[in-house]
Amino acid sequence: MSEITEKYRKLPLYFVAITVLVKLVFLLTHHIQEDAFITWRVAQNLLDYGVIGFNGATKISASTTHLYVFVSYFFNLIFGKEHFIYPLLIFNSILFTFGSYFLSKLILKNPIHQAIFIFLFGILPPSIKISILGMEYGILFFLEMAFLYFGLKEKKIWAQILFPILILFTRIDTVIFLGIVGLIDIVWNRKINWFFVLGGVLGIISVLSFNWFYFGELVNNTIVAKSATYAKNMSLSLQWKYFLLNYGNYWGMLKLPGDFNPFTILVLVFELVCFIYLVSKSKVRNYFIWIIFLFGWCKQLVFISQRSYFDWYYWVPQILLFSVVLVFVLEQKTQKILWISLLLIFYILPMMSFQTIHSIATGNGEWNYRRSIGLFLKNYEKDKNQYILLEPAGYIPYFSGLKAIDEVGLVDKEIQKEIKKDKPNYWRNTAEHRKPKYLLAPTDLFNGKDSVFYKNNYKFLKEFRIKDHLQSDNKILEKIYRLKPSGTDYNLYEKK
């Protein structure tokens, strides 16, 4: 161990703490992802009914992640329903940052470089979102990086078996990650790691068995519902339009206004150049560079090919692909300070500034606005066995306490039958057959082809408008709210 390595060996751990503290400031924005409340509702349903579900005693895999449901369950149990959210978000932030600590150990030798990497990596927009938005990706990133560190670098047999099981139990689509790691491991070492294979097989068996014996299905309901609901037969021109609208998610970490974003292309090219430069150098760590870079590309290409436009699918690939840029900059032999300064001034700080504005605006649109709809219904409707038909099924069902039928069918399987039977009219048919007490729609139901049905069976109760939530005593906050208004206008209807 060199003198520098020994002297500064604890520095990365100090920067783990510093990075977590910096990111916790973003908790003040109340920017929490809608889908997190679905998982938390499932966890509370398990607490109240002893059933993994969403609406009472009905079993349904409404959450994409099983492991995070159980983690959320324990946080609810320990801290209570009213106080578990922020302890859980802090826990997610700590786990993610330790994941970046393991990653730094895999691809950098100098502890000073590792410390700087942890901080710069941790304040990238996807890293902030993984940490504070309440999704399962903080836990997932920790598990994946811990697997690479303990299982492949330290060659711990227990890690090669245990971590694949936990990873797959967190998200079933992590077969992409484990598959890429397995292929590169075989090519690199020219032999099969049978303990790793055992871990992967046990992981697949455990998650599929759990799905089958508990829910009576092999694949999570969330995957089935999205496949049935979202359009698949789009024209090539429409596919290209959606690609242009979303491709900022894939490599650039920043979606700018407009269809064409040259900034993303610049980042993509620079990532490729940095990757080629790093792997051209003969070093053992190239093994892990290849793993994270090929996984990042493969994960993105798979989800792009399936026309998956939700930005959280791309958070982990985004930061892993960009990690090679950080390594490239940190390992420059000359003018390193200049390189880091340029990176900070022209990329990191603008990106963090954008994320700050985005989180403040989105937090207002979700926590202040959409949550207020749920709180209104909580006070208005005392019978929590009543149903509401709406989309999405996060904030409003969570804070209202009402049972929910969501348009996609994530939390209610019955609507999937209506979608398959008559997709153009499934919303109206669901209202007619299921007779939910409340309808929450982004359109005026009393003006349209089914207006007669809605007028005969429902009465208009209240309108909710995002424009009414763009004011603040703080003039800076108000400017941000109006610069980037976040939210959907709704009309609420009650059954006659």
Side-chain angles (χ1 to χ4, degrees):
M1 184 178 292
S2 69
E3 184 178 339
I4 293 179
T5 302
E6 177 59 29
K7 183 178 180 180
Y8 294 103
R9 63 186 179 89
K10 291 186 178 180
L11 190 63
L13 289 174
Y14 297 147
F15 270 71
V16 167
I18 292 169
T19 306
V20 170
L21 290 174
V22 169
K23 285 195 289 189
L24 291 185
V25 175
F26 280 85
L27 295 180
L28 299 174
T29 67
H30 299 297
H31 183 194
I32 302 174
Q33 181 66 36
E34 182 91 31
D35 286 46
F37 285 97
I38 297 179
T39 298
W40 296 342
R41 166 83 171 242
V42 172
Q44 291 177 356
N45 201 82
L46 178 60
L47 192 66
D48 294 337
Y49 297 93
V51 170
I52 299 175
F54 194 89
N55 294 317
T58 303
K59 294 179 179 179
I60 185 171
S61 52
S63 173
T64 310
T65 169
H66 296 323
L67 182 64
Y68 190 43
V69 165
F70 292 121
V71 171
S72 301
Y73 166 85
F74 283 112
F75 270 79
N76 273 274
L77 197 63
I78 295 167
F79 295 97
K81 293 180 182 179
E82 301 296 325
H83 306 291
F84 83 96
I85 291 179
Y86 288 103
L88 181 54
L89 297 182
I90 293 169
F91 177 71
N92 286 345
S93 297
I94 292 170
L95 282 187
F96 171 80
T97 311
F98 268 104
S100 67
Y101 169 80
F102 293 135
L103 178 60
S104 73
K105 292 283 187 181
L106 294 171
I107 57 180
L108 291 163
K109 290 184 177 180
N110 188 320
I112 298 176
H113 293 170
Q114 293 169 3
I116 298 173
F117 175 90
I118 290 167
F119 182 75
L120 295 181
F121 186 83
I123 61 174
L124 291 169
S127 302
I128 294 168
K129 289 185 281 192
I130 289 172
S131 299
I132 67 162
L133 263 63
M135 301 283 277
E136 66 272 15
Y137 290 99
I139 291 176
L140 181 61
F141 187 76
F142 169 81
L143 292 173
E144 289 176 339
M145 295 305 107
F147 166 67
L148 294 180
Y149 183 79
F150 291 107
L152 301 187
K153 184 176 187 295
E154 300 295 322
K155 302 192 183 302
K156 304 291 185 182
I157 293 175
W158 63 266
Q160 295 171 11
I161 297 174
L162 176 63
F163 281 121
I165 297 173
L166 295 176
I167 289 168
L168 283 162
F169 213 67
T170 305
R171 285 188 67 95
I172 198 169
D173 57 29
T174 52
V175 293
I176 300 172
F177 170 77
L178 294 172
I180 291 296
V181 173
L183 287 173
I184 293 176
D185 187 67
I186 291 173
V187 171
W188 195 273
N189 296 308
R190 298 181 181 178
K191 63 178 181 179
I192 299 175
N193 184 335
W194 292 107
F195 291 111
F196 175 26
V197 172
L198 176 62
V201 171
L202 291 177
I204 293 171
I205 290 174
S206 66
V207 69
L208 294 183
S209 298
F210 181 79
N211 281 345
W212 180 256
F213 289 109
Y214 193 85
F215 298 110
E217 59 195 17
L218 286 175
V219 181
N220 297 45
N221 173 69
T222 51
I223 299 172
V224 175
K226 290 175 182 177
S227 177
T229 305
Y230 295 131
K232 296 296 182 184
N233 299 319
M234 292 191 292
S235 64
L236 287 175
S237 61
L238 189 59
Q239 290 182 43
W240 179 245
K241 177 183 176 181
Y242 273 94
F243 176 82
L244 289 177
L245 287 172
N246 289 276
Y247 90 113
N249 285 331
Y250 310 143
W251 298 283
M253 295 184 271
L254 182 64
K255 287 199 293 185
L256 297 175
D259 288 349
F260 181 70
N261 179 359
F263 189 71
T264 295
I265 302 297
L266 181 64
V267 172
L268 167 62
V269 171
F270 195 48
E271 286 174 350
L272 287 169
V273 169
C274 292
F275 171 73
I276 293 169
Y277 171 82
L278 291 176
V279 297
S280 66
K281 302 165 73 174
S282 180
K283 290 188 177 181
V284 174
R285 65 93 187 274
N286 282 356
Y287 171 58
F288 296 106
I289 293 288
W290 275 101
I291 285 176
I292 62 176
F293 204 78
L294 288 187
F295 162 66
W297 267 90
C298 185
K299 172 76 181 286
Q300 294 197 114
L301 291 176
V302 169
F303 277 79
I304 291 170
S305 70
Q306 297 303 304
R307 299 190 287 281
S308 300
Y309 299 123
F310 299 112
D311 65 331
W312 53 86
Y313 291 142
Y314 305 95
W315 290 344
V316 173
Q318 284 169 356
I319 53 176
L320 288 180
L321 290 175
F322 194 76
S323 65
V324 298
V325 175
L326 296 178
V327 174
F328 171 80
V329 170
L330 290 170
E331 291 193 345
Q332 291 302 305
K333 300 298 184 184
T334 60
Q335 297 183 317
K336 184 178 298 183
I337 300 299
L338 176 62
W339 275 97
I340 295 175
S341 300
L342 291 173
L343 184 67
L344 278 169
I345 294 170
F346 291 103
Y347 194 80
I348 302 288
L349 292 179
M351 294 281 282
M352 193 176 183
S353 299
F354 174 84
Q355 184 59 45
T356 301
I357 294 171
H358 176 73
S359 290
I360 291 172
T362 307
N364 177 63
E366 300 291 345
W367 186 265
N368 295 339
Y369 170 61
R370 206 189 299 268
R371 184 176 66 107
S372 70
I373 304 175
L375 293 175
F376 168 82
L377 284 164
K378 177 184 178 181
N379 296 323
Y380 183 83
E381 179 56 71
K382 303 303 180 184
D383 181 4
K384 301 310 176 187
N385 287 314
Q386 296 295 337
Y387 277 86
I388 180 171
L389 173 59
L390 80 170
E391 178 62 26
Y395 276 85
I396 296 167
Y398 183 89
F399 285 102
S400 69
L402 297 176
K403 293 184 177 180
I405 306 168
D406 69 300
E407 290 181 7
V408 180
L410 299 181
V411 305
D412 184 280
K413 283 188 176 181
E414 293 302 312
I415 198 172
Q416 294 176 31
K417 297 177 183 178
E418 297 289 355
I419 293 170
K420 292 176 182 177
K421 190 188 307 180
D422 184 9
K423 190 170 183 178
N425 302 299
Y426 79 97
W427 218 86
R428 188 258 194 206
N429 293 340
T430 299
E432 181 179 3
H433 299 153
R434 300 286 297 280
K435 297 177 173 60
K437 187 170 182 179
Y438 298 98
L439 305 176
L440 187 69
T443 57
D444 182 0
L445 296 180
F446 290 170
N447 283 300
K449 67 173 184 176
D450 296 315
S451 59
V452 174
F453 165 78
Y454 292 118
K455 287 178 180 178
N456 289 340
N457 293 277
Y458 287 87
K459 64 179 181 179
F460 178 77
L461 181 58
K462 187 176 175 61
E463 69 174 21
F464 299 93
R465 298 292 182 262
I466 185 61
K467 64 181 176 60
D468 298 329
H469 288 261
L470 301 181
Q471 296 83 30
S472 174
D473 294 334
N474 187 309
K475 295 304 177 184
I476 295 177
L477 290 181
E478 184 169 298
K479 286 182 179 179
I480 292 174
Y481 296 160
R482 294 182 180 277
L483 174 68
K484 195 178 184 298
S486 177
T488 304
D489 291 337
Y490 286 110
N491 295 318
L492 179 63
Y493 303 85
E494 183 180 6
K495 197 173 188 306
K496 290 182 179 179

